Amino acid sequence: MTNLKIVSYNVHGLNHPIKRRKILSQLKNLGCGVALIQEMHLVENEHKKLRREWVGEVFSASYGKRRGVAILFNRNVVFSVEKVLQDTLGRYVMVIGTISGMVVSIINIYAPTEDDYSFFRDIANIIAENAKGMIILGGDFNAVLDGRLDRLPDEYNKTKKPKILNNMLGELGLVDSWRYKNPRGRDYSLFSNVH
């Protein structure tokens, strides 16, 4: 499992077949072993559309045509599932199992945009009560850990989400792997043109 590539995408809907094919092709071309997909906007019976030539297993949670998260495993990744936890509101899915003999817990979240502090508290409780082995937490947090480094222009103290998120990570002993490798780096996953 030393070279497992994990990619996280907020796709803003996967209903259109061309968009779905392009995103799945891009993930394949990246050599993605595990994909964390947020905001799929697919109902539960449409998740089978995500199983393509490279996708072996799909674990997902839906909420009608809104929200929705999925964890996709490449056919080349041998994953033995032990337990799956799915949110009925389509905000998270967690799988616990083994990859190459290593016990892992993979959680994909799509956090509310509003300051819903209970969401992160609930996620922390779910992880604390269920996770085993290596914990991989990813997704769209709709928040940043440091408003000065992670936003442009920087926004410090506009919301309490960073503090709550940092507390959750600290309590669970988790780290932001990108920030760990790039302590002062600035890179952004969303660019919004001026309206």
Side-chain angles (χ1 to χ4, degrees), residues 14 26 49 58 62 82 91 112 115 122 150 186 192 194:
L14 280 180
Q26 185 180 40
K49 296 175 182 178
V58 177
S62 294
E82 179 184 318
R91 293 271 182 208
D115 285 345
D122 294 346
D150 299 328
R186 296 187 91 159
S192 181
V194 177

Side-chain angles (χ1 to χ4, degrees), residues 13-41:
L14 280 180
N15 288 306
H16 198 280
I18 293 172
K19 180 178 182 181
R20 189 169 47 249
R21 189 174 0 179
K22 283 183 177 183
I23 288 172
L24 290 171
S25 292
Q26 185 180 40
L27 290 168
K28 178 183 177 183
N29 292 337
L30 287 170
C32 180
V34 178
L36 309 178
I37 308 294
Q38 306 87 44
E39 252 191 299
M40 298 184 312
H41 302 176

Side-chain angles (χ1 to χ4, degrees), residues 151-190:
R151 283 196 185 272
L152 188 64
D154 62 359
E155 293 183 7
Y156 189 68
N157 287 336
K158 289 213 173 181
T159 176
K160 294 190 188 232
K161 266 187 174 179
K163 183 177 181 182
I164 291 165
L165 189 52
N166 278 299
N167 286 343
M168 179 187 84
L169 295 178
E171 288 174 11
L172 294 170
L174 302 176
V175 297
D176 177 348
S177 57
W178 189 89
R179 179 60 61 211
Y180 179 79
K181 292 181 121 189
N182 305 278
R184 306 302 315 151
R186 296 187 91 159
D187 200 1
Y188 309 101
S189 60
L190 173 70

